[in-house]
Amino acid sequence: MRVVEASDRVQRARKFIWLTVGITIAACAPWQGWWPLLLLAPAGIALSLLDRRLEHSDRPERLAIGTLLFTLGLFGAATALTGGPDGSAAPLIIIPAFVAPMRFRGKVVVAFCVLTVLVLLGATVGVDPSGAVNDPRLIIATIALLVCATSANWALVEAEMQQRDAAVLDPLTGLLNRKALEARALELEQQARLTGASVAFVACDLDNFKDVNDTHGHDRGDAVLRSVAYQMRKALRSFELIYRLGGEEFLIVLPAAGHEEGLLVAERLRKTTEESRPGGLPVTCSFGVSAGSGGDVVYDRLFKAADEALYEAKAAGRNCVVAARSPEPATMAAPALAPAG
Ligand code: GH3
Ligand code: MG
Ligand code: MG
């Protein structure tokens, strides 16, 4: 998830990084010629291929690490070819390790830093041993830069990850996320058990959303998600809660609502989505509805029932609402909530 999720941020940073590398090579051209610019081409091709393939890959981490290794190899080659221990490209060799924390966790980053040091030594000491021994300042400073910059970036990325784990808002749509749902579901479960109140769950999934991404691009897909979230939030009352579970899946929790009300709300949301043409596209949603009251309000069970109904809505041709079959008694499915003793 982290490998793929980081793509937007990495892509933005990458533009500045490669522009800076290009300017650096151009500025050093009077001393070493223009040819190192040629090394930018394979790096650019590898990185654009990575972006295209990452989202659809079964093993995105392998693709990402492969591309990092490839760019490290290019920087190593540039260091060796621009003069080894005197090479102007030597400090640039830290760039792949510096960006590694954005996609990878600690152990991989440490391994990548060690590898970077080995490539640096190979491209400097390996190319010109006596030059490296006579004046190792650039090598030492580059290793120091590698450790300082990468550890600072690592600390920043980890802090962001921790904040994100603690957050209850989905950054793309501004809706509540799965973490917020867990806390609210437990509250509703306990409340219903005490008061006998009912709760309805509406599971929602965008139809053929993969096609939107494939045809119009990921950014347009994001715009569609934001628009769907906004239209649905607008169509719900303040105490009716909507959560983004992840991807293009949402859950609407309706306190004090039964089956009938759940179906009405779902149908209203279905129509709203269809009529609003989110992101300017003919996007539709499918819905599954479940409800329970009192001791029957067991989140896991009602969510599963709504999800199964949603699956049936997909099978029935999409852009429709399906009610869950009558659930089994709560005590059978959730013995933990059966009265003690
Ligand atoms: P179905 O009607 O059966 O639900 O088909 P589908 O194409 O919507 O279903 P599937 O689950 O195969 O595809 C969901 C797609 O949602 C795959 C993924 O690329 C995309 N997706 C998930 N999260 C995001 C996101 O945050 N932004 C964008 N743009 N796309 C996302
Ligand atoms: Mg879908
Ligand atoms: Mg889905």
Side-chain angles (χ1 to χ4, degrees), residues 205-209 248 314:
D205 184 292
L206 269 66
D207 296 330
N208 302 316
F209 187 58
E248 25 75 271
K314 292 281 182 188

Side-chain angles (χ1 to χ4, degrees), residues 198-221:
S198 58
V199 181
F201 287 84
V202 179
C204 159
D205 184 292
L206 269 66
D207 296 330
N208 302 316
F209 187 58
K210 205 167 167 299
D211 295 348
V212 172
N213 276 333
D214 291 348
T215 313
H216 303 280
H218 200 265
D219 287 349
R220 190 82 178 271

